[in-house]
Amino acid sequence: MSAQLSQNMLLAVPMAPLVGAVVAGLFGKQVGRRGAHTVTILGVLIAFILSAMTLWSVVQDGARFNATIYEWMSVGSLKMEIGFLVDGLTAMMMCVVTFVSLMVHIYTVGYMEEDPGYQRFFSYISLFTFSMLMLVMSNNFLQLFFGWEAVGLVSYLLIGFWYTKPTAIFANMKAFLVNRVGDFGFILGIGLIVAYAGTLSYGEAFAKAPELAKLSFAMPLWGSEWMLITVTCICLFIGAMGKSAQFPLHVWLPDSMEGPTPISALIHAATMVTAGIFMVARMSPLFELSDTALNFVLVIGAITALFMGFLGIIQNDIKRVVAYSTLSQLGYMTVALGASAYSVAVFHLMTHAFFKALLFLGAGSVIIGMHHDQDIRNMGGLRKYMPITWITSLLGSLALIGTPLFSGFYSKDSIIEAVHASHLPAAQWAYWAVIIGVFVTAFYSFRMYFLVFHGKERFHHKPFPGEHDHHDDHGEHHDPHESPWVVTAPLVLLAIPSVVIGYLTIQPMLFGDFFKDAIIVNTALHPAMKELSEGFHGAVAMATHGLMTLPFWLALGGVVTAYLFYMVKPAIPAAIKNASGPIYKLLDNKYYLDWFNENVLAAGTRLLGTGLWKGGDQGLIDGLIINGSARGIGSVAGLVRLFQSGYLYWYALVMILGVIGLMTWQLWPYLNLKTFLGL
């Protein structure tokens, strides 16, 4: 029998960041800047320590927890509860969320040092951590949806944190609206589960999943019947497409760079965008019952992995390069989900969280050193000015491209092998998408790395934003500088797992019993996982074998090509740009999806709204219901006022006529008309 975890300890995990968020947000002026960052960092530190203890109990003692904490409301047999489900999947996610969040909190002390909204920012990021913890710890769909919407709300607040900046307000509204599209599908999926399974509990819904897989219903628009489980899973995945920024609902994520860099790291590495991947992995007992849904997941993931990588090639904003990298890597995770390799997807989610947080925070350190210039074309040679940022960014880049022995190698190569072993129809297309994506990832990652840290120093030739000249009053250059320790310390601490975490955890997470029944990893039922386990002979052997495989040589080719293009022959990229005008224009306009959304969907909605307003609001509501009723009452009042003349004889006549009329109405059934008329 598995050991039981303490309910009070688990409850303290999300509550500690919440308390910090409340203190910093409501009492920020009283506690001051030091008090705000102290209480929030302390809250997240407590959550991380308790999460680590939970993970240890889960791994060493097989501890589990699945119980209701609080019953909010019941409607018949349907119970709406707050509850926790803690197993291997949850414990791992708790540690990833709290550790990355802790690093971001510490980093923020240095990055936001001079910002007037200092206390507010700490309140928001601590609230973000609370929301994500409630999401991953939930044992029912109601709490899952609460956490799902809470991370969306806080991301809206953080992306638009600099609310006087028009581009930030546009970006947070864009994120809000796009995610509402995904959330509409998500809540439809939950609604179908409640309607047919009659429960909000994960366990009860999963137990009834085989019965649900036998049900179907008519789709009038298509004139055919659809399997209930297929429609449910696709609706749930549409929610994941919004949160985890999958094509075509990815458009909000690059614009989220308008928020401060710490929140970019938190959104991209450990909170919002990982929520969709986690949700699909948690729902694996449902998705495994529909090959149609899995094929749909495979296709969407493959498109995102490849085509978002292409966009990273032409970006010049250092944060946007990393942002498109996130989109591509989320596509890789989604492909693994579609190949039924749920543990592989979650494994890549974990490794990616560390090196992506490292790359974002490293980019923020570069921005600090460059006096807030984010254009990589204005950098170069920063290696000697920012040695800690340089070496940690290099380690993060090597992990991202899948260098053998680095964390990203184990998870990315496992995804490629898993999709190659899948027998689904869409798997072949997905396989080539992720294979080509290896070269693309290596190329744009080291394009950024070489332009920022190596080559000619270009920052002396252009004033920094907000400066009239790059010289001070004594004619000296404003050289870049290394960031303070509160910025570099998180970089070092994130670099360590970016290098070693894959090596240390691949055996238990992919081929051991780490997840047990949390994720379907039964090798007897899943060919992809079976072939992976048969070909795995240890982390070192896998790395050695990786040196002879196609992905390694494609990654090496991407690095060499980037070095050739930007260090040796920098005229080549310009020549390619000029020679491929239409293709470059297509990429520069991000496949025109933003144009389509703004000029077709948004403009059409506004036009429809205007038409409905004129025809519906003005014509029906104002014209008929409001103004029409007023005119009707006025007409009736004009008629009634004729009977209110003020003359006594008129009132007496009306009373007499009324009495006669009443008596006639009462006696009429008893009158014989023919006798009365003498007929």
Side-chain angles (χ1 to χ4, degrees):
M1 183 176 178
S2 300
Q4 288 297 311
L5 296 163
S6 167
Q7 176 176 307
N8 291 334
M9 183 181 77
L10 293 176
L11 191 58
V13 174
M15 293 306 296
L18 178 61
V19 170
V22 170
V23 172
L26 299 182
F27 307 102
K29 291 184 178 180
Q30 288 81 359
V31 300
R33 290 179 168 236
R34 182 182 294 274
H37 73 235
T38 299
V39 70
T40 51
I41 291 174
L42 181 61
V44 177
L45 176 61
I46 292 171
F48 170 65
I49 293 172
L50 295 178
S51 297
M53 293 170 60
T54 300
L55 180 62
W56 178 264
S57 297
V58 168
V59 173
Q60 294 298 315
D61 305 324
R64 293 290 186 270
F65 186 91
N66 185 9
T68 299
I69 304 298
Y70 171 72
E71 184 175 320
W72 173 44
M73 182 172 62
S74 62
V75 180
S77 61
L78 186 64
K79 294 183 178 180
M80 302 179 186
E81 303 168 331
I82 303 298
F84 293 152
L85 168 61
V86 179
D87 49 23
L89 175 60
T90 303
M92 183 276 293
M93 288 296 298
M94 289 165 62
C95 285
V96 169
V97 170
T98 53
F99 178 75
V100 173
S101 179
L102 179 61
M103 296 300 101
V104 170
H105 275 69
I106 296 171
Y107 179 95
T108 300
V109 175
Y111 192 88
M112 301 291 287
E113 182 181 11
E114 299 177 0
D115 196 280
Y118 189 85
Q119 293 97 314
R120 179 166 56 93
F121 189 82
F122 272 99
S123 177
Y124 286 171
I125 58 176
S126 196
L127 186 61
F128 210 169
T129 307
F130 159 76
S131 302
M132 189 65 184
L133 287 169
M134 289 295 288
L135 188 156
V136 301
M137 295 175 70
S138 64
N139 72 346
N140 62 84
F141 289 97
L142 178 67
Q143 185 175 328
L144 173 69
F145 189 73
F146 165 77
W148 192 269
E149 293 304 311
V151 293
L153 169 64
V154 184
S155 68
Y156 168 83
L157 297 173
L158 284 163
I159 294 170
F161 180 78
W162 288 318
Y163 53 84
T164 58
K165 186 179 178 184
T167 53
I169 297 303
F170 178 83
N172 76 345
M173 183 57 68
K174 184 177 182 180
F176 180 83
L177 293 175
V178 172
N179 273 277
R180 296 294 70 73
V181 175
D183 291 354
F184 179 69
F186 186 57
I187 200 168
L188 283 180
I190 295 176
L192 286 172
I193 292 172
V194 174
Y196 286 90
T199 181
L200 285 164
S201 167
Y202 290 165
E204 294 177 9
F206 296 161
K208 295 181 180 180
E211 298 177 18
L212 300 181
K214 300 175 184 177
L215 302 178
S216 62
F217 55 85
M219 298 286 283
L221 295 179
W222 283 270
S224 62
E225 286 197 349
W226 282 55
M227 299 304 295
L228 170 67
I229 198 71
T230 296
V231 176
T232 301
C233 289
I234 289 177
C235 285
L236 292 174
F237 181 67
I238 289 173
M241 288 169 62
K243 277 289 181 290
S244 292
Q246 295 297 290
F247 177 90
L249 301 183
H250 67 278
V251 292
W252 68 270
L253 192 59
D255 288 355
S256 70
M257 297 301 96
E258 294 296 332
T261 298
I263 192 50
S264 300
L266 200 54
I267 288 177
H268 287 244
T271 53
M272 186 162 170
V273 298
T274 62
I277 306 300
F278 165 82
M279 183 272 293
V280 176
R282 177 60 81 192
M283 299 298 129
S284 59
L286 301 179
F287 279 83
E288 275 306 291
L289 298 173
S290 174
D291 283 354
T292 302
L294 291 175
N295 273 293
F296 181 72
V297 173
L298 264 174
V299 171
I300 295 297
I303 293 172
T304 308
L306 181 59
F307 289 96
M308 296 306 106
F310 287 148
L311 296 183
I313 294 174
I314 67 166
Q315 301 301 313
N316 295 312
D317 184 308
I318 188 171
K319 287 173 63 177
R320 285 184 179 266
V321 176
V322 187
Y324 279 106
S325 165
T326 299
L327 284 171
S328 182
Q329 296 308 303
L330 288 168
Y332 273 84
M333 299 174 208
T334 303
V335 165
L337 294 172
S340 294
Y342 304 99
S343 57
V344 179
V346 175
F347 183 47
H348 193 53
L349 182 158
M350 179 197 67
T351 62
H352 174 266
F354 296 118
F355 61 72
K356 186 50 57 69
L358 172 60
L359 288 171
F360 261 114
L361 298 186
S365 180
V366 168
I367 293 170
I368 294 173
M370 287 293 297
H371 304 277
H372 297 280
D373 187 352
Q374 297 183 194
D375 195 327
I376 59 177
R377 295 170 296 182
N378 299 334
M379 300 178 189
L382 294 184
R383 179 167 59 98
K384 71 176 183 179
Y385 298 99
M386 309 181 72
I388 299 176
T389 303
W390 160 65
I391 191 64
T392 52
S393 296
L394 175 59
L395 294 174
S397 298
L398 290 172
L400 171 61
I401 70 171
T403 307
L405 291 176
F406 283 73
S407 62
F409 161 75
Y410 293 103
S411 54
K412 182 182 284 188
D413 269 39
S414 296
I415 291 174
I416 293 172
E417 292 300 322
V419 70
H420 184 56
S422 174
H423 301 309
L424 291 175
Q428 186 174 2
W429 139 249
Y431 173 73
W432 285 109
V434 294
I435 278 287
I436 297 170
V438 172
F439 175 87
V440 175
T441 301
F443 179 77
Y444 68 65
S445 297
F446 274 82
R447 169 184 176 263
M448 179 182 72
Y449 170 77
F450 288 132
L451 286 176
V452 172
F453 294 106
H454 294 272
K456 183 179 179 181
E457 298 177 2
R458 296 178 296 278
F459 44 82
H460 288 160
H461 302 282
K462 183 178 179 180
F464 296 124
E467 295 181 328
H468 298 293
D469 189 64
H470 61 271
H471 297 81
D472 61 18
D473 294 337
H474 302 286
E476 297 177 356
H477 292 302
H478 290 292
D479 286 336
H481 55 82
E482 186 59 277
S483 302
W485 74 267
V486 289
V487 171
T488 56
L491 299 182
V492 175
L493 292 174
L494 285 166
I496 296 171
S498 296
V499 177
V500 304
I501 197 69
Y503 174 87
L504 296 175
T505 60
I506 183 172
Q507 173 64 48
M509 289 188 69
L510 297 195
F511 312 112
D513 62 351
F514 179 82
F515 292 117
K516 291 186 179 177
D517 55 350
I519 297 177
I520 294 179
V521 290
N522 190 332
T523 56
L525 299 176
H526 299 84
M529 294 307 299
K530 183 177 180 180
E531 293 193 22
L532 278 179
S533 63
E534 291 174 351
F536 182 76
H537 302 289
V540 174
M542 182 176 176
T544 304
H545 176 70
L547 295 173
M548 299 177 286
T549 59
L550 181 59
F552 170 75
W553 293 104
L554 286 172
L556 182 61
V559 174
V560 172
T561 305
Y563 182 79
L564 176 65
F565 280 17
Y566 296 98
M567 294 290 100
V568 180
K569 297 287 185 180
I572 294 179
I576 294 176
K577 176 182 175 181
N578 293 332
S580 59
I583 296 177
Y584 180 86
K585 189 175 181 180
L586 178 68
L587 296 177
D588 191 44
N589 285 280
K590 296 170 281 189
Y591 307 118
Y592 292 97
L593 285 172
D594 282 334
W595 180 91
F596 177 81
N597 290 336
E598 179 60 33
N599 293 281
V600 177
L601 297 182
T605 302
R606 289 193 294 267
L607 182 62
L608 180 63
T610 302
L612 288 175
W613 180 73
K614 289 183 177 178
D617 191 68
Q618 284 188 335
L620 178 63
I621 298 176
D622 285 348
L624 181 61
I625 298 177
I626 298 177
N627 295 333
S629 61
R631 286 192 294 267
I633 291 172
S635 300
V636 172
L639 180 63
V640 171
R641 65 195 293 258
L642 297 176
F643 297 95
Q644 302 291 331
S645 63
Y647 294 108
L648 185 60
Y649 63 84
W650 175 251
Y651 295 149
L653 177 62
V654 170
M655 291 174 64
I656 293 170
L657 291 176
V659 170
I660 294 173
L662 180 61
M663 292 177 65
T664 302
W665 177 65
Q666 292 291 333
L667 296 175
W668 183 259
Y670 304 103
L671 295 177
N672 188 313
L673 185 61
K674 291 183 178 181
T675 303
F676 180 78
L677 296 176
L679 298 177

